[in-house]
Amino acid sequence: MQVSPSEDKIPDVGPPSSPQASGEGLYFSDGQRKVDYVLVFHHRRHGSLRSPTTASVSQDELSIVSNGNFPPPSSSEALAGGGGGLRREDASVGEVFMELGMARGSGAMEAADHEMQLIRQEFEANLLEAGLEVERDREQTKTHGPSFTRIHAPWPVLCREAEFLKIKVPTKQSYELKEESGFGSSMSSVWRKVKQPFQPKVPQQDQGSTKFLSHCFSRDKLHMYNITSKDTFFDNATRGRIVYEILRRTVCVRTCQTIGISTLIAKGVYDSAFPLHDGDYKVTGNLEERNDRQVLFEEWARYSAFYKYQPIDLVRKYFGEKIGLYFAWLGVYTQLLIPASIVGIIVFGYGVATVDTNIPSLEMCDERLNFTMCPLCDGACDYWHLSTACGTARASHLFDNPATVFFAIFMSLWAVLFLEHWKRRQISLSFSWDLTGIEEDEEHPRPRYETILLQKQQRKQKKKKKKKKKNEPEKQEDGTVTGKDRWRQKLLSAMAAGVPTVIEKLTWKDRLPGYFMNISSILFMFGLTFSAVFGVIVYRITVSALMAMSPDPETKSNVRVTVTATAVIINLVVILILDEIYGAVALWLTELEIPKTETTFEERLILKAFLLKFMNAYAPIFYVAFFKGRFAGRPGSYVYVFNDYRMEECAPGGCLIELCIQLSIIMLGKQLIQNNIFEIGIPKLKKLIRALKEKEPTQKQKDEEKTPLQWNLDYALAPFEGLTPEYMEMIIQFGFVSLFVASFPLAPLFALLNNVIEIRLDAKKFVTELRRPVAARAKDIGIWYNILSGMGKLSVIINAFVISFTSDFIPRLVYQYMYSPSGTMHGFIDHTLSFFNVSNFRPGTAPHSSDHGDVTVCRYKDYREPPWSSDAYQFSKQYWCVLSARLAFVILFQNLVMFLSLIVAWVIPDVPKTIVEQLKREKKLLVNLFLQEEKEKFQLIQSLFVKDATLHPKSQSPSAGQAFPILGRYSTLPSGPTAPDGPRARCRAASFSQFSEKISSLPRKENANSKHTAV
């Protein structure tokens, strides 16, 4: 594209006089060219104080023209502070002029800042060579603070990069979507009417029954696309992505050996780089003229819109496919929590309805049965009646009832259904977003990888230099080399020349220290987590013993409730603290591995962070579910910690109620604290600190400052740091919902309530509090799907063990069908309690004083032989019978659920049938479109030949047996005439004989002067 002399120079400009002059900071100073990307760097204060005049001259003055040169400004322009550069004719192409106009008498610029400025000059010159247009703030007007470099991508650059990136754009060709008929059509229309109040008011959300064909952009096929305006054909997100791709691959060779904007930010050359938002998110004018950011804020990022569907297509258009897929996944997950919550409420309601008729609970609460239980601690604790644990037993039945088994099976199938439904939704989105068939973008190495690689190369060069010095031939006094050494020198140089250059890369040997540190650190973190759990166990044991020794009867009666509640709160605090520590440690360990690309870095970081946070969140729950009370021993032979404190036992109603308390408090505490403090409070605190740091302008600067422009507003926002924290929070919640759901049926309900708020909280954060991220393409949610699938399979096993070993479901079944005289649950409590002769207590462990009179036998919960048996206190036959039933249930439950899961996955196809049909139809239509285009080309060329033959009748034309020479880049005809008996020429794609009738014969004689027009 021709550039006029006035447009050829890119001036350094000051801020516009009014926001309207530059579209509120969305355009260059001319108000026409859109700002697609912004680079920010900081001016630092220097020790030497200068007056404004000298300071303006002492700064490096730079004006860049479109051919990438650095012309020196005239002295008058420098003194006037004008930002205009020189015209093209003032600088010869290929030359670079830099004038570091230091004022006489002023202090020299700091070396580091000077080096950074030279790097910026070269980088921005290379951007101009790539075709971008640059506009910057006047450096001489800045003494400190941020300075902004604005970048605009003109139409030719957008077309070139869109073709290179294979961006799909809609064509003029459209087709009607197949509509359902009959009963399905009527049901769909009814469902649309039901959903209508919940739909967000987004313009052009429903495209109706028409869909436009999409095709990878090509500059040769511009006539195929519906280009109404070159400024709006590529949306802002696509423009930002195109500019980012150029920034990512632009190199700096002369000043520093770096490639890409990420490396320059890591080196401190630039402070940050980001695309601009579409303006303010608050609607000030007419609702009809809202930009996409305002629409998202009004219809998506407000808590009052919690009942509405998400405008996923608009989210994808504004933020890109990667963020769009996250919110789509979160929406699918939240929607499917609704049926899980309903079933969980029904199961909980069943427990509430049957608690008064539950025979084991009634037996525990019956004071007439008078079960005298063994002391809960040594010496200080007295015997106690089982009826005092009536409340615990009734509460345990709310969660430990026959409906719990059904709910565990249901939730295991729900997890499979969720993953299958998400796969279908993901493929549907990929089709509607034109992501089918896209290739992975080529990734550049990370800055740290390049730095380590450069250090490795420098070390090798030093070693080569040392070897070269050792192998240097001996020289005579006059500097000449002797004959023998001369031949040796020639041989070495020839060998060096013959060795091919090897592309350097980091090997496993370079990463070995990082791997070793990773393994040792992760093992240490596991040990730290287990130590924290063990510390809480010791706390529970010691506090229980101390409270049991208290003379206050009220304190004694509340021992278990107090200890359980305080221990869970301590666990929650430890989990939240270690969560933050483990996140930072996972980042540090991943850096030590030196991954080459950002994708590899992100995957390794996710795996480490998930492993550490999974262990941290679930270790206390695993302990209560599977270990607590199983190694406590029995009366007369207890297991002790530190030789003084007995290992803790489960409550009389079983460990399931304690597991429920532990799970509910940790789950709700993490959601409330992380949502309200970490996601809301900490970002606001960071924003306040950043504002206080930047809040140092003088009163004069405040007076000069007018309405802040968009790049100033966006720079004040927090940078986007990836989706890993958002996914991680939801994945841990998914574990609470699926892994131990048998102990807490209300977990899906609390997760649903949290997610309704979480969606709007994340939406508000993205729209109002974060800088606009680069629109990244993604076909799926990546490694998170594998983690979800693994957790779904693990949940089957864990729920099977929770039901069989933690709850009393299996012992109740065994008693009812094998040991009950009447076939009912009457007598179940007595059956589960063993006898102990108090004379068998170890010395000093029996109660010092008792309010229960003379007790000879006490009871404890276990399946052991009575003291009068020949095998006293050994495991009874009932124990082995219950254990075998428990193991059989685990195997049966696991295989049944896995089998049902496979059936569900087989019944539900991954790709919806409608998508398959539309893909086939679009492929056929595209082929027909291109063939029609070739046919039109052929007819045009044929008409030109006929016209040429009419104008020059005496000229010799090809005969009917000869093919017309088709000139053009995408011709599919033979390239020249063929002899009648010669070999048939091959077409590159298809023959045009299927489109046209036999070509009429033309004279065979060919005139040498005849001219043919190439189209």
Side-chain angles (χ1 to χ4, degrees):
M1 183 179 72
Q2 289 287 344
V3 182
S4 64
S6 62
E7 294 175 344
D8 186 46
K9 67 180 181 182
I10 307 298
D12 297 344
V13 298
S17 58
S18 66
Q20 289 79 11
S22 62
E24 297 184 356
L26 298 175
Y27 294 88
F28 276 16
S29 57
D30 56 12
Q32 296 178 356
R33 291 174 292 175
K34 188 180 294 184
V35 177
D36 296 319
Y37 221 88
V38 175
L39 310 179
V40 188
F41 61 92
H42 266 275
H43 288 279
R44 296 176 179 84
R45 293 180 182 271
H46 299 295
S48 59
L49 297 175
R50 296 185 289 271
S51 64
T53 306
T54 57
S56 66
V57 183
S58 65
Q59 296 291 335
D60 288 359
E61 296 171 357
L62 176 67
S63 181
I64 304 178
V65 296
S66 295
N67 59 6
N69 296 319
F70 299 81
S74 63
S75 58
S76 61
E77 285 177 335
L79 292 173
L86 295 183
R87 297 183 182 275
R88 177 178 300 198
E89 55 266 18
D90 295 335
S92 60
V93 176
E95 295 179 336
V96 175
F97 295 96
M98 299 184 192
E99 179 171 332
L100 307 179
M102 301 304 237
R104 296 181 181 89
S106 63
M109 180 183 288
E110 289 186 3
D113 288 351
H114 177 56
E115 181 184 358
M116 296 298 180
Q117 185 163 359
L118 291 179
I119 297 173
R120 285 195 294 270
Q121 290 172 354
E122 182 188 356
F123 184 71
E124 291 171 14
N126 291 338
L127 292 181
L128 287 165
E129 289 181 0
L132 297 177
E133 297 177 2
V134 178
E135 180 183 75
R136 297 167 308 162
D137 293 337
R138 288 197 187 109
E139 296 190 17
Q140 56 267 30
T141 62
K142 289 267 188 178
T143 56
H144 69 279
S147 184
F148 299 93
T149 300
R150 298 170 288 279
I151 298 174
H152 168 76
W155 173 254
V157 175
L158 293 173
C159 294
R160 181 191 72 207
E161 296 298 321
E163 184 173 357
F164 175 72
L165 295 173
K166 298 181 180 178
I167 295 175
K168 286 190 174 182
V169 294
T171 63
K172 295 178 181 178
Q173 184 72 24
S174 63
Y175 66 95
E176 295 293 326
L177 296 175
K178 185 179 179 182
E179 295 183 358
E180 296 181 1
S181 57
F183 179 73
S185 176
S186 59
M187 289 299 296
S188 297
S189 61
V190 170
W191 181 240
R192 277 195 298 269
K193 290 180 181 178
V194 171
K195 292 194 303 180
Q196 188 60 37
F198 306 102
Q199 294 292 345
K201 298 177 182 178
V202 178
Q204 299 178 353
Q205 184 188 25
D206 189 10
Q207 299 178 355
S209 59
T210 304
K211 189 178 187 302
F212 287 90
L213 292 178
S214 296
H215 186 258
C216 293
F217 186 86
S218 174
R219 286 172 287 180
D220 296 325
K221 295 182 174 12
L222 290 178
H223 59 280
M224 292 175 52
Y225 312 124
N226 190 16
I227 305 176
T228 56
S229 172
K230 293 182 179 180
D231 294 332
T232 58
F233 181 71
F234 295 106
D235 56 39
N236 292 341
T238 305
R239 295 173 71 101
R241 178 174 160 235
I242 287 173
V243 174
Y244 174 72
E245 290 295 329
I246 299 175
L247 292 172
R248 195 177 68 168
R249 66 172 188 260
T250 302
V251 298
C252 285
V253 180
R254 290 181 289 125
T255 52
C256 63
Q257 298 291 330
T258 56
I259 178 172
I261 187 64
S262 301
T263 309
L264 294 180
I265 292 175
K267 287 177 176 289
V269 178
Y270 288 100
D271 183 58
S272 59
F274 51 88
L276 289 180
H277 279 292
D278 285 358
D280 193 8
Y281 60 87
K282 295 179 181 177
V283 181
T284 55
N286 189 2
L287 292 178
E288 303 267 335
E289 299 175 356
R290 294 182 297 176
N291 59 44
D292 288 346
R293 190 185 187 193
Q294 292 169 345
V295 173
L296 287 174
F297 178 72
E298 293 289 330
E299 302 294 332
W300 181 54
R302 303 178 72 174
Y303 293 111
S304 59
F306 73 93
Y307 63 93
K308 292 184 178 181
Y309 287 97
Q310 298 185 85
I312 292 297
D313 291 333
L314 187 59
V315 174
R316 171 253 177 179
K317 176 187 173 185
Y318 193 82
F319 292 108
E321 287 81 4
K322 195 170 186 178
I323 294 175
L325 282 174
Y326 163 70
F327 281 103
W329 173 83
L330 184 56
V332 169
Y333 173 47
T334 304
Q335 287 176 8
L336 285 183
L337 280 174
I338 296 175
S341 302
I342 294 172
V343 176
I345 292 172
I346 292 173
V347 169
F348 181 75
Y350 173 81
V352 173
T354 58
V355 68
D356 292 328
T357 58
N358 182 45
I359 295 175
S361 299
L362 295 175
E363 288 185 351
M364 285 188 68
C365 296
D366 192 354
E367 296 182 0
R368 294 172 297 175
L369 296 177
N370 194 23
F371 294 113
T372 302
M373 306 297 293
C374 295
L376 295 174
C377 64
D378 294 341
C381 297
D382 194 4
Y383 302 103
W384 56 285
H385 288 302
L386 185 61
S387 58
T388 59
C390 176
T392 306
R394 290 172 63 86
S396 179
H397 176 74
L398 299 177
F399 304 101
D400 187 6
N401 54 67
T404 305
V405 181
F406 160 76
F407 188 60
I409 296 175
F410 171 81
M411 288 305 295
S412 299
L413 296 178
W414 173 87
V416 177
L417 186 66
F418 162 59
L419 293 176
E420 291 298 321
H421 181 57
W422 167 244
K423 276 198 290 188
R424 290 171 60 86
R425 174 69 170 152
Q426 186 172 259
I427 290 173
S428 299
L429 290 175
S430 297
F431 172 72
S432 61
W433 293 351
D434 297 323
L435 297 176
T436 52
I438 66 167
E439 300 176 359
E440 295 293 335
D441 294 336
E442 181 185 357
E443 289 193 79
H444 293 287
R446 299 181 67 248
R448 178 171 171 76
Y449 180 88
E450 287 186 328
T451 304
I452 301 296
L453 186 61
L454 184 62
Q455 293 173 356
K456 179 182 178 181
Q457 292 172 347
Q458 289 173 349
R459 287 195 300 268
K460 282 192 173 183
Q461 288 176 358
K462 287 181 181 178
K463 289 181 181 178
K464 286 182 179 179
K465 287 180 180 179
K466 288 181 180 179
K467 287 183 179 179
K468 191 175 180 181
K469 287 181 179 179
K470 290 181 181 179
N471 296 329
E472 277 185 357
E474 296 181 1
K475 294 185 178 180
Q476 297 179 356
E477 293 181 357
D478 57 353
T480 58
V481 182
T482 59
K484 180 181 177 182
D485 291 330
R486 188 185 301 118
W487 285 109
R488 181 187 176 194
Q489 187 179 13
K490 287 183 178 181
L491 180 62
L492 289 173
S493 61
M495 290 174 63
V499 176
T501 57
V502 180
I503 299 175
E504 287 287 347
K505 63 179 181 179
L506 297 182
T507 61
W508 65 269
K509 294 180 181 179
D510 302 310
R511 295 186 172 97
L512 188 59
Y515 292 151
F516 176 76
M517 184 65 72
N518 267 263
I519 295 172
S520 56
S521 298
I522 289 175
L523 292 177
F524 172 76
M525 294 301 162
F526 282 176
L528 181 62
T529 302
F530 295 145
S531 301
V533 174
F534 183 71
V536 176
I537 294 171
V538 172
Y539 163 81
R540 294 160 69 120
I541 294 171
T542 53
V543 173
S544 298
L546 293 173
M547 291 184 68
M549 297 176 191
S550 172
D552 186 10
E554 188 175 349
T555 304
K556 283 187 175 181
S557 62
N558 295 325
V559 169
R560 194 174 294 276
V561 176
T562 305
V563 170
T564 301
T566 54
V568 171
I569 292 173
I570 293 172
N571 261 328
L572 175 62
V573 173
V574 170
I575 286 171
L576 292 175
I577 293 173
L578 290 181
D579 242 13
E580 299 301 311
I581 295 174
Y582 288 166
V585 169
L587 183 63
W588 174 65
L589 292 177
T590 310
E591 289 285 1
L592 291 179
E593 288 188 34
I594 323 172
K596 184 174 181 180
T597 62
E598 284 294 340
T599 302
T600 310
F601 176 85
E602 187 178 358
E603 289 181 352
R604 295 184 182 183
L605 174 62
I606 288 169
L607 283 177
K608 289 182 187 62
F610 172 74
L611 192 62
L612 293 173
K613 293 190 175 186
F614 179 89
M615 188 63 63
N616 179 43
Y618 299 118
I621 301 174
F622 268 97
Y623 164 73
V624 174
F626 303 120
F627 298 100
K628 185 178 180 181
R630 311 207 178 270
F631 307 102
R634 59 171 180 82
S637 181
Y638 284 113
V639 177
Y640 290 86
V641 179
F642 304 129
N643 296 323
D644 290 322
Y645 302 104
R646 271 168 46 181
M647 282 292 292
E648 58 180 346
E649 303 174 67
C650 290
C655 276
L656 194 71
I657 185 62
E658 292 190 39
L659 177 62
C660 174
I661 295 171
Q662 185 100 7
L663 180 66
S664 59
I665 292 180
I666 290 177
M667 177 182 176
L668 295 177
K670 274 180 67 69
Q671 290 182 352
L672 291 175
I673 294 175
Q674 282 186 338
N675 283 353
N676 295 319
I677 295 179
F678 292 170
E679 290 199 24
I680 299 176
I682 291 181
K684 289 187 180 297
L685 183 62
K686 287 181 178 178
K687 186 177 181 180
L688 178 63
I689 294 172
R690 191 166 57 249
L692 290 175
K693 285 183 178 179
E694 297 291 338
K695 195 176 181 181
E696 296 179 359
T698 63
Q699 188 63 36
K700 182 179 177 182
Q701 289 172 329
K702 287 183 180 179
D703 295 338
E704 292 177 356
E705 187 177 348
K706 299 183 180 180
T707 305
L709 299 172
Q710 191 61 45
W711 48 80
N712 297 99
L713 295 173
D714 286 6
Y715 181 66
L717 300 177
F720 173 68
E721 296 179 350
L723 290 169
T724 301
E726 315 298 335
Y727 273 115
M728 188 66 69
E729 181 185 346
M730 290 295 104
I731 295 295
I732 296 297
Q733 185 203 83
F734 180 79
F736 286 124
V737 169
S738 59
L739 293 181
F740 296 94
V741 74
S743 64
F744 189 42
L746 295 179
L749 175 63
F750 289 111
L752 173 64
L753 296 176
N754 173 80
N755 288 5
V756 169
I757 301 173
E758 179 74 19
I759 289 176
R760 307 304 162 180
L761 179 68
D762 286 346
K764 186 176 182 182
K765 182 170 65 174
F766 273 88
V767 173
T768 65
E769 298 176 6
L770 294 180
R771 295 174 192 161
R772 187 173 188 171
V774 178
R777 279 198 304 186
K779 293 187 291 186
D780 48 41
I781 60 174
I783 196 173
W784 295 111
Y785 182 85
N786 299 330
I787 293 175
L788 285 168
S789 180
M791 291 184 74
K793 292 178 173 62
L794 182 63
S795 68
V796 177
I797 301 172
I798 290 179
N799 281 307
F801 276 94
V802 167
I803 293 170
S804 60
F805 284 91
T806 309
S807 76
D808 284 336
F809 176 74
I810 299 300
R812 286 197 294 263
L813 282 181
V814 171
Y815 173 77
Q816 184 174 0
Y817 294 105
M818 293 185 66
Y819 296 104
S820 174
S822 60
T824 63
M825 292 303 296
H826 289 285
F828 172 71
I829 297 298
D830 183 51
H831 180 262
T832 58
L833 298 178
S834 299
F835 293 88
F836 178 75
N837 192 338
V838 297
S839 61
N840 295 330
F841 274 122
R842 290 172 56 186
T845 60
H848 299 317
S849 60
S850 177
D851 297 333
H852 294 77
D854 188 15
V855 178
T856 57
V857 175
C858 63
R859 310 291 293 271
Y860 62 98
K861 190 174 182 179
D862 207 346
Y863 291 101
R864 291 181 182 270
E865 296 290 345
W868 52 83
S869 171
S870 58
D871 298 325
Y873 307 126
Q874 298 297 316
F875 287 119
S876 62
K877 293 180 180 178
Q878 289 89 340
Y879 171 82
W880 298 109
C881 183
V882 170
L883 179 63
S884 60
R886 283 173 163 164
L887 294 175
F889 176 82
V890 169
I891 297 172
L892 178 64
F893 181 90
Q894 179 182 345
N895 285 280
L896 174 64
V897 173
M898 290 294 185
F899 175 72
L900 293 176
S901 301
L902 290 175
I903 291 179
V904 170
W906 176 72
V907 168
I908 302 175
D910 293 344
V911 185
K913 186 179 179 181
T914 55
I915 300 296
V916 175
E917 293 176 354
Q918 289 185 34
L919 282 172
K920 291 180 180 178
R921 189 177 180 187
E922 285 198 2
K923 187 176 181 181
K924 183 179 179 181
L925 289 172
L926 277 175
V927 170
N928 292 338
L929 179 65
F930 291 134
L931 290 177
Q932 180 66 27
E933 183 187 4
E934 292 290 343
K935 180 181 177 181
E936 291 174 358
K937 280 185 183 179
F938 175 76
Q939 290 174 348
L940 175 62
I941 294 170
Q942 183 179 359
S943 64
L944 289 174
F945 275 113
V946 173
K947 185 178 180 181
D948 192 29
T950 306
L951 293 174
H952 306 278
K954 294 182 179 180
S955 62
Q956 186 176 356
S957 300
S959 63
Q962 292 177 317
F964 289 104
I966 304 299
L967 305 178
R969 184 175 173 185
Y970 293 102
S971 172
T972 57
L973 287 181
S975 58
T978 57
D981 299 330
R984 183 181 178 185
R986 277 191 176 181
C987 298
R988 287 176 60 189
S991 173
F992 287 106
S993 58
Q994 53 184 317
F995 305 119
S996 58
E997 300 294 333
K998 188 175 181 180
I999 304 170
S1000 58
S1001 302
L1002 292 174
R1004 285 182 177 270
K1005 293 183 180 180
E1006 183 176 358
N1007 189 356
N1009 297 324
S1010 63
K1011 297 180 180 179
H1012 301 286
T1013 306
V1015 179

